[in-house]
Amino acid sequence: MVIDRGASIGTAALAAHGLSKRFKKKVALDKVDLAIPAGSVTALVGPNGAGKTTLIRVCMAFERPNAGTVEVDGVDPWKHRSEALRRVGYVPQTPAVYRGLSVEDHLAMARSLHSGFDSDYARRRLDQLGIPLDQRADTLSGGQAAQLGLAVALGTRAKVLLLDEPLANLDPLARREFIQVLLDAVKAEGSTALLSSHIVTDVEDACDRLVILGGGKVRLDCPLEEARQTHRLTEADSPPPGGTAVGSFLGRNGKTIMTLWRLAPGAGPGGDQGTGQGETSEAASLEDVVLGYLAAGRSIGLQLN
Amino acid sequence: MLSRIRLTFKQHRFETLAVTIVCVGLTAAALIEAFRLNSLNVPLSCLQSYQGSFVDPSQGPITAAQAHCNELAKSFSDMKGSLDMNLVQLLLLLVPLLTGIVVGAPLVAREIEQGTAPLSWALSGSRRRWLLGKVLAGVLLLASLMLAVGLAANVLEGALNPGLNPYNSFSNYLGRGVIDVFWALAAFAGTFALGTLFGRTMPAVVIALVVCFFVRGVWDAGMTHYVLRPFAIEQVLPDQPQQGYVAYGPGSGFADMFVYSKSYIDGKEATDAQVNDWYQQNMVCVPTPTQSASASPADSSSPSASSSPGPQATPGNPNMGVACQTPTIDPSHFPQQIQYVLPGSWYWQTVAMESGVLLLGSLFCGAIAFVWVDRRRPY
């Protein structure tokens, strides 16, 4: 079920209301309403240019919104930056490390900049991963650099973690390690995480909530399980009972057009079922759900001859 | 904050190391050059009587003592004009600006270029506090190094001008002493402000180079006309009734600093044009032997001279020229030039004033950076 955005803003760990951001003529965020419940791990999914990074940057007070508001743990980052940033741990898109500094120096720098930074906690995390503290950051592998960024973010003991495509440049093993460390920390600390990615499979197993962003708008915002349960996929434009068409896209075989349907609440369980017109609908994977909403966002009807 | 300063040095280790090596090397070079000059032990009287290769026949034969004196003075003069001495003096002028630019340019700009600014700014609630840590590191580095360079330059200045107290003289005063520290800090502040505005290192370096050297070029004129002028002391030159070039000023080797001059005719302030008119009207041109014509204050062939009242030259006589001389007028009615100078004893006050102006400029540039860093994007 799609959450009631307006009602939940006050209690959400991260909330946006009517948030808009333009870069000259390009609209990056268009009246975005969003509410990320406390304690959740939310996947922020969308193609390149969907507005994921802009949304996170607005939350970090790196960008000023043109309209609307955003609140991090109840604090507007643009009005009360220090207060807001004290509540946020941030992992940037590309592992940002100081080339000349060692891993330990990064922790010392974080300690000198953030009064509540827990060096021991961050150090333990890095020890567990076998990352030497005296190694220069510019000699770390991509995965290790990402882990260093995560350790610094976790060391702040922030209530909200914002991770801007941290998995994009990692190999599969490093991705799995990164996600595991993140999940362990979130579970232990009870914090909230917003993990952006343009690769659905990266976040499928890690997150319990899904936000699909496309063309600067929120296309879907619901728990992950609900996204799976309430969407069906068919090969033709024959709706399953109680289904509303979301969007059509090219199937995995590259030949057939698949249509994603959204079922009305309580319309029926997942699994294969008849559509009533001789067609069979199948359960939609998370990737199918994302593709369907992104296709709808582009408003381009795919057709094959 | 100490940790931030230490990490800033480590982060910018190349610039820190390069600037330290250059400054320590320059300090050592200046002290070595001063030692070499001092070790010649040239008596001041020898330097004062030394006239280069010119030998005045009216002085009679040179004694052995005089010859030795001349030899010592020549060695001193040669060393003073040597390539290495000139190089050290040139570097003493340039290094304060260059070090300020080298340290200041990457301070913020490189963080933005390399994408580390978002990491730091996300951790630090206050970007200004973050910047303060970095700026303090730069100030500490430059102040200590430039003080060493400035003091060494003072020692060298004393050696270059025996008998001249560097702390009581304006000789080369902009390139030595504590003012070096403020030149470096001004270049540093201006450059890190540019780096904060542009978020790019190279454009900041290029613009800073142009601005710094322009400011340095117009500094003397600007300071003497706008800042030091009210403090200048009147100095009447009764023996110089005509306008003449006075070699005071920074770099002239004189203890006092010429600030500006005024001309008076019969007690009334006069412009340069009025003084010229006075000479044209009151000069009398008379025939004189040719060689004396060139010594006259005005060109004998100029239309103004030939049109002056008085005897004219005989054109047909090749041995005679025309010399224009002032008629017999009471010298008290001659145009009088009054120079306004700062005596050497004003060295510290002047250095304090000019350092203050540089400090104000540094604070202004720093304020721009501190305001802008709070508003700009970290990428």
Side-chain angles (χ1 to χ4, degrees), chain A residues 63 81 96 98 100 105 112, chain B residues 10 13 111 120 374 377 379:
Chain A
E63 295 286 352
R81 185 160 58 199
Y98 288 96
D105 287 335
S112 73
Chain B
K10 205 170 175 183
R13 70 181 75 185
E111 295 249 5
S120 296
D374 222 28
R377 294 174 176 142
Y379 33 81

Side-chain angles (χ1 to χ4, degrees), chain B residues 95-165:
Chain B
V95 158
L97 295 178
L98 293 179
T99 49
I101 290 170
V102 166
V103 175
L107 207 67
V108 177
R110 189 177 293 158
E111 295 249 5
I112 292 164
E113 281 174 332
Q114 295 187 345
T116 47
L119 179 72
S120 296
W121 293 6
L123 286 165
S124 176
S126 166
R127 293 179 193 175
R128 288 176 185 167
R129 194 165 156 263
W130 167 82
L131 182 58
L132 183 67
K134 295 176 84 72
V135 168
L136 277 180
V139 168
L140 276 177
L141 178 72
L142 288 174
S144 52
L145 290 174
M146 280 304 124
L147 198 59
V149 170
L151 292 177
N154 267 346
V155 173
L156 181 61
E157 192 62 33
L160 284 164
N161 298 291
L164 199 72
N165 178 1

Side-chain angles (χ1 to χ4, degrees), chain B residues 154-207:
Chain B
N154 267 346
V155 173
L156 181 61
E157 192 62 33
L160 284 164
N161 298 291
L164 199 72
N165 178 1
Y167 301 103
N168 201 24
S169 156
F170 288 103
S171 174
N172 287 320
Y173 79 106
L174 287 175
R176 61 184 173 86
V178 291
I179 206 164
D180 271 359
V181 175
F182 292 94
W183 275 114
L185 292 182
F188 169 69
T191 313
F192 84 72
L194 286 168
T196 309
L197 288 172
F198 297 133
R200 295 288 175 270
T201 307
M202 275 317 289
V205 168
V206 172
I207 295 173

Side-chain angles (χ1 to χ4, degrees), chain A residues 21 23 57 60-63 81-82 85 90 96-102 105-106 108-110 112-114 117 136 152 156, chain B residues 3-4 6-7 10-11 13 111 114-127 129-130 374-379:
Chain A
K21 177 66 190 174
F23 295 103
R57 284 175 175 177
M60 294 303 298
F62 293 162
E63 295 286 352
R81 185 160 58 199
S82 299
L85 292 184
Y90 173 64
V97 292
Y98 288 96
R99 288 178 192 169
L101 301 188
S102 68
D105 287 335
H106 279 74
M109 179 172 285
S112 73
L113 291 170
H114 194 288
F117 188 79
R136 271 177 61 151
V152 169
T156 61
Chain B
S3 176
R4 289 282 308 125
R6 179 184 70 82
L7 288 168
K10 205 170 175 183
Q11 188 188 340
R13 70 181 75 185
E111 295 249 5
Q114 295 187 345
T116 47
L119 179 72
S120 296
W121 293 6
L123 286 165
S124 176
S126 166
R127 293 179 193 175
R129 194 165 156 263
W130 167 82
D374 222 28
R375 303 171 66 90
R376 72 155 297 133
R377 294 174 176 142
Y379 33 81

Side-chain angles (χ1 to χ4, degrees), chain B residues 1-20:
Chain B
M1 192 57 82
L2 282 176
S3 176
R4 289 282 308 125
I5 291 170
R6 179 184 70 82
L7 288 168
T8 302
F9 285 141
K10 205 170 175 183
Q11 188 188 340
H12 299 282
R13 70 181 75 185
F14 173 75
E15 290 81 12
T16 306
L17 210 62
V19 161
T20 305

Side-chain angles (χ1 to χ4, degrees), chain A:
Chain A
M1 185 176 141
V2 180
I3 60 171
D4 181 357
R5 291 160 187 155
S8 56
I9 278 181
T11 54
L14 194 147
H17 184 66
L19 189 66
S20 295
K21 177 66 190 174
R22 280 190 317 276
F23 295 103
K24 294 182 181 170
K25 288 182 179 176
K26 182 178 164 45
V27 177
L29 294 175
D30 187 11
K31 296 173 188 165
V32 167
D33 289 325
L34 194 66
I36 308 295
S40 67
V41 180
T42 302
L44 180 62
V45 179
N48 293 324
K52 305 185 296 293
T53 296
T54 304
L55 177 63
I56 289 177
R57 284 175 175 177
V58 169
C59 295
M60 294 303 298
F62 293 162
E63 295 286 352
R64 185 176 200 161
N66 295 107
T69 57
V70 65
E71 286 181 2
V72 179
D73 199 28
V75 180
D76 186 333
W78 196 259
K79 288 181 183 165
H80 309 284
R81 185 160 58 199
S82 299
E83 276 294 304
L85 292 184
R86 209 170 292 154
R87 294 150 197 259
V88 180
Y90 173 64
V91 180
Q93 198 163 7
T94 45
V97 292
Y98 288 96
R99 288 178 192 169
L101 301 188
S102 68
V103 172
E104 180 64 49
D105 287 335
H106 279 74
L107 303 186
M109 179 172 285
R111 196 169 52 241
S112 73
L113 291 170
H114 194 288
S115 54
F117 188 79
D118 189 341
S119 298
D120 293 335
Y121 182 77
R123 209 173 280 130
R124 274 200 306 277
R125 294 265 161 204
L126 293 166
D127 277 344
Q128 283 169 7
L129 295 162
I131 298 175
L133 295 175
D134 58 351
Q135 189 169 342
R136 271 177 61 151
D138 51 357
T139 63
L140 293 173
S141 68
Q144 287 177 322
Q147 289 289 0
L148 172 58
L150 181 60
V152 169
L154 293 175
T156 61
R157 298 291 186 116
K159 288 184 177 177
V160 180
L161 293 168
L162 299 177
L163 302 99
D164 187 5
E165 301 205 37
L167 309 171
N169 301 315
L170 303 186
D171 62 58
L173 195 64
R175 280 184 209 177
R176 185 157 293 185
E177 273 185 355
F178 187 96
I179 296 254
Q180 197 52 51
V181 170
L182 173 68
L183 290 179
D184 288 348
V186 167
K187 193 175 172 186
E189 298 292 313
S191 46
T192 308
L194 179 67
L195 175 65
S196 90
S197 178
H198 61 273
I199 304 166
V200 182
T201 49
D202 280 349
V203 292
E204 196 165 9
D205 300 328
C207 301
D208 51 27
R209 192 171 185 83
L210 176 69
V211 174
I212 300 175
L213 209 58
K217 289 178 184 288
V218 173
R219 304 291 171 187
L220 181 73
D221 177 5
C222 67
L224 208 64
E225 200 47 43
E226 186 182 303
R228 286 200 188 98
Q229 292 287 333
T230 58
H231 290 86
R232 307 289 300 174
L233 202 63
T234 65
E235 279 191 19
D237 287 344
S238 42
T244 312
V246 175
S248 297
F249 54 92
L250 199 59
R252 284 200 181 90
N253 59 14
K255 292 176 181 172
T256 51
I257 297 292
M258 306 301 288
T259 301
L260 183 76
W261 301 89
R262 183 169 182 181
L263 305 179
D272 291 352
Q273 61 181 21
T275 61
Q277 295 176 0
E279 292 288 340
T280 303
S281 70
E282 56 184 273
S285 70
L286 202 59
E287 191 174 4
D288 296 329
V289 173
V290 172
L291 286 171
Y293 277 93
L294 295 182
R298 282 175 190 163
S299 56
I300 300 168
L302 279 176
Q303 293 192 354
L304 290 181
N305 294 323

